[in-house]
Amino acid sequence: MDVETLRTFVAVAGTGQFGAAADELGISQQAVSKRIATLEKHVEVMLLVRTSRGSRLSLDGQLFLPHAKRVLAAFEQAERAVRPGTRPLRVDVLNRRIAPAQAVYQFYRHHTGMNLDAVTLGNENAAQAVQAVLEGTVDASFRALPVSQAPAGIGAERLLDSPLELLVGPGHPLANVPRVRPADLAGHRIWIPGIRPGTEWAAFYQSLSGAFGLSIDALGPHFGDEALMDALADSDSLATLVGSGDRYLWPQTHDLRRVPLREPTPVYPHVLLFRAGDRHPVLTALRDHLRTSGPRTPDDAWMPEWMDR
């Protein structure tokens, strides 16, 4: 028994005529008769009494009708819930402070009527985020995954390149320079707590360290962004790396400095992953927005060799 069979029964019960029900449903009268016969065989009772004037509900049919209507109503509600554009688009932004979250927020500010949910899968690596997209836990995710390595069923588009900046306290030797080359950071300790082995961001910073001879570590417990900002403010040697589009907050008295990296500019590439063929209108609008409003990739951009150029 399927939904169309139930819909046919309700139509016959409402019109009292097989022919009228067929016209209402846009099918043949023979198809209506076949569906009703299938339904009666399934429930093992006669639901409709055929007469010379048409049909009427049997006693069993009268009992069955309200249940059939409730099932149809529930099915139609379920259909509306998943119809493209009806439910919110769920986007994994990884961390609410970094560039993807800020870009999605700016998109929402310019498209306030869009139905959107921003979530964070901060403990999942790229492969796990891909699985979440395939399973429908989220509709899209920002990850540093080469487009060429996107598995079957996944669409991928690099839409947000985030240039890196050095973040230091006022006593750091590089606090007052207008810009700094990555190679000039050799010998300085760069602390990025929260890097986990097996993640794409761990692979990115490993490549960055190897390319420029940097000392990047995640030693010690990660007590959150506020603790990191406190440590930078209190140190004349500690530094960290942030994206130019990241939005971290600290007390004004910390007087932290953001120093752009140049010659070359290390860029963290955020690739938007989504289910291939997904026609959710908010996803389409988000992709269009990022294509036109995202920051331009610097001419001297550096990315790991494993990323698509």
Side-chain angles (χ1 to χ4, degrees), residues 159-173:
L159 292 171
L160 189 62
D161 287 344
S162 182
L164 295 188
E165 297 178 338
L166 191 72
L167 183 63
V168 297
H172 194 280

Side-chain angles (χ1 to χ4, degrees), residues 9 49 68 76 92 99 109 120 181 183 222 224 227 264 278 293-294:
F9 167 72
V49 178
E76 289 167 1
D92 163 39
R109 288 190 62 186
T120 56
R181 298 185 309 162
H222 182 26
D278 191 335
S293 66

Side-chain angles (χ1 to χ4, degrees), residues 93-262:
V93 295
L94 186 59
N95 182 308
R96 297 192 186 278
R97 290 293 180 192
I98 63 176
Q102 303 309 310
V104 171
Y105 173 62
Q106 291 302 321
F107 163 75
Y108 180 74
R109 288 190 62 186
H110 289 87
H111 303 79
T112 53
M114 295 289 185
N115 209 357
L116 176 72
D117 277 343
V119 300
T120 56
L121 301 181
N123 293 321
E124 284 78 2
N125 59 23
Q128 292 166 326
V130 164
Q131 193 61 32
V133 173
L134 287 173
E135 293 174 353
T137 304
V138 295
D139 297 297
S141 177
F142 286 92
R143 299 287 158 161
L145 179 75
V147 171
S148 60
Q149 293 182 17
I154 289 290
E157 189 173 2
R158 203 179 94 207
L159 292 171
L160 189 62
D161 287 344
S162 182
L164 295 188
E165 297 178 338
L166 191 72
L167 183 63
V168 297
H172 194 280
L174 299 174
N176 297 310
V177 301
R179 65 190 63 83
V180 64
R181 298 185 309 162
D184 293 336
L185 298 180
H188 293 274
R189 184 193 175 196
I190 302 173
W191 186 42
I192 307 180
I195 297 178
R196 292 191 298 105
T199 59
E200 66 273 18
W201 56 92
F204 174 88
Y205 287 118
Q206 183 177 9
S207 296
L208 181 65
S209 298
F212 299 103
L214 307 185
S215 175
I216 299 177
D217 70 76
L219 300 176
H222 182 26
F223 290 106
D225 296 333
E226 291 79 6
L228 172 60
M229 303 305 149
D230 292 344
L232 293 173
D234 292 338
S235 174
D236 59 3
S237 61
L238 195 61
T240 195
L241 295 174
V242 297
S244 61
D246 298 354
R247 189 183 183 205
Y248 291 97
L249 303 176
W250 54 81
Q252 186 175 359
T253 54
H254 279 13
D255 193 22
L256 302 187
R257 317 289 175 84
R258 300 179 75 132
V259 182
L261 300 184
R262 297 290 187 269

